[in-house]
Amino acid sequence: MADQVYFEDVDEGAEIPNLMKNCSTQQLVLWAAGSGDFYQIHYDKDFAQSTGLKDIIVHGALKNAFLGQLLHEWIGEDGSIKKFGCSYRGMDDAKQDINCRGVVTKKYSDGGKNFIELDIWTENPDGKKTTPGTALVTLPSRN
Amino acid sequence: MAEQEVAESVITDEMREAIGKESAPTTLEVDKTGCRMFARSVGHTDLIFYDEEYAKSKGHRSIVAPPGFFGTPVFKPGGGRGEGPPGRGYSIPYKRVLNGGTEYEYQDSVCAGDTLTATTNISDFTERKGSIGPMLITERETTYTNQDGTVVAKMYGTTIQY
């Protein structure tokens, strides 16, 4: 885990450290078991092709969980995820880079808590945002 | 003909009446193995998702459920997954289904040892004509309540049929 990030150190417009992923077929099988989503388009190439896909594709919910990891690693031990999610706009292939990124869009304090709003997304090798989303987290204060 | 270009709504009265009605509850067990398995499949490296003693040393009740994990539905052979989320059973002319998106909103902590009860209701049906043709968009809201009766999280999901 990285060092603790504090509310005062975060500026609107700043990008948070990215998280790079690249799903092996084994990881997609692990996710199927971990999430309970056993739809075959994610691990059975013949089945995927029978539905018109070129090959197996990464689960949308796994990309959302990657964004959860991106946030978890950024906020450190004393931060907390309040809200996160994304839309599934594009398919990602296995064995291809998935770059998980986030940008701070707003910071404010309310009721003694320090909130940060972010745009979060995964990006494919062509730079297309395949899962654009938003998040709300709290961060500790230096004071 | 102009009249033919006006797409007929696939939303029936039965569907309209279902909006806002709560589903039968589903029980989900958040256990240590489930948390570890989910965390491992994502690639988490923080030990609060794997090691109970470590998690407790960081102030958590037990192993923490990783972001997006709300336990494993209790599976029974034959019974399958129960009736599933509402909105799947309606007779509509579209065959293909896409998961449109998911958002999680946390209100309290979720840790191994918790038993969650999930209820889902449809918040809206909408129709739109997109690049893939006419589509039906179903918005669902799931509420997760723990064994103490505390609402710990909500999930907002979108399903697209076309």
Side-chain angles (χ1 to χ4, degrees):
Chain A
M1 296 287 281
D3 291 339
Q4 181 63 53
V5 62
Y6 291 93
F7 182 69
E8 290 78 9
D9 303 337
V10 175
D11 293 319
E12 290 178 5
E15 179 159 2
I16 68 173
N18 73 320
L19 176 70
M20 196 63 97
K21 293 289 185 179
N22 190 309
C23 299
S24 62
T25 51
Q26 184 189 45
Q27 182 168 17
L28 298 184
V29 170
L30 276 167
W31 171 261
S35 70
D37 179 352
F38 296 106
Y39 192 25
Q40 299 95 315
I41 59 168
H42 302 297
Y43 54 83
D44 181 337
K45 186 172 179 173
D46 291 341
F47 183 93
Q49 289 179 339
S50 78
T51 71
L53 293 167
K54 277 197 301 234
D55 205 334
I56 58 168
I57 58 165
V58 176
H59 301 72
L62 175 55
K63 291 185 276 182
N64 197 16
F66 287 158
L67 295 173
Q69 184 185 3
L70 170 79
L71 295 166
H72 179 77
E73 296 192 347
W74 180 61
I75 63 177
E77 280 180 16
D78 297 327
S80 171
I81 298 175
K82 296 298 169 198
K83 213 192 264 194
F84 77 103
C86 62
S87 299
Y88 306 124
R89 296 277 174 79
M91 292 183 258
D92 280 276
D93 297 330
K95 292 175 266 183
Q96 190 166 284
D97 284 347
I98 297 176
N99 192 3
C100 309
R101 302 175 62 188
V103 166
V104 174
T105 52
K106 193 177 174 185
K107 58 182 283 189
Y108 60 95
S109 297
D110 186 25
K113 284 189 173 172
N114 303 303
F115 293 95
I116 304 283
E117 288 179 3
L118 303 103
D119 281 340
I120 51 174
W121 68 93
T122 64
E123 207 170 280
N124 72 13
D126 299 327
K128 184 180 184 256
K129 294 180 181 183
T130 53
T131 59
T134 56
L136 176 69
V137 303
T138 58
L139 289 181
S141 167
R142 284 192 180 277
N143 303 319
Chain B
M1 303 293 275
E3 299 94 286
Q4 287 175 330
E5 282 170 18
V6 179
E8 267 186 48
S9 176
V10 300
I11 302 171
T12 62
D13 288 344
E14 185 197 8
M15 288 160 71
R16 266 185 217 100
E17 281 165 23
I19 293 172
K21 284 194 185 144
E22 204 166 80
S23 70
T26 305
T27 302
L28 301 124
E29 290 175 346
V30 184
D31 65 8
K32 292 181 207 174
T33 302
C35 291
R36 289 191 191 105
M37 185 68 202
F38 189 99
R40 180 183 170 199
S41 71
V42 175
H44 278 287
T45 55
D46 191 341
L47 290 177
I48 63 168
F49 303 130
Y50 300 93
D51 183 324
E52 186 170 22
E53 288 315 308
Y54 180 83
K56 284 182 173 171
S57 78
K58 296 293 179 184
H60 302 287
R61 289 181 283 125
S62 180
I63 289 176
V64 176
F69 184 61
F70 296 95
T72 310
V74 176
F75 175 83
K76 285 180 190 154
R81 299 167 67 181
E83 54 190 70
R88 290 273 162 82
Y90 301 111
S91 154
I92 62 155
Y94 307 137
K95 290 193 171 62
R96 285 164 293 188
V97 184
L98 289 176
N99 187 343
T102 317
E103 182 171 55
Y104 299 108
E105 187 182 295
Y106 283 89
Q107 299 178 14
D108 215 326
S109 65
V110 181
C111 288
D114 289 349
T115 301
L116 304 181
T117 302
T119 53
T120 299
N121 69 68
I122 294 168
S123 35
D124 206 5
F125 289 113
T126 50
E127 288 171 287
R128 206 187 297 159
K129 195 159 185 182
S131 55
I132 50 177
M135 47 190 182
L136 172 72
I137 299 157
T138 306
E139 310 266 359
R140 284 191 194 78
E141 184 183 316
T142 299
T143 303
Y144 298 95
T145 307
N146 71 12
Q147 62 281 359
D148 301 324
T150 304
V151 172
V152 291
K154 290 198 173 204
M155 176 177 76
Y156 303 93
T158 307
T159 307
I160 298 165
Q161 287 162 280
Y162 66 104

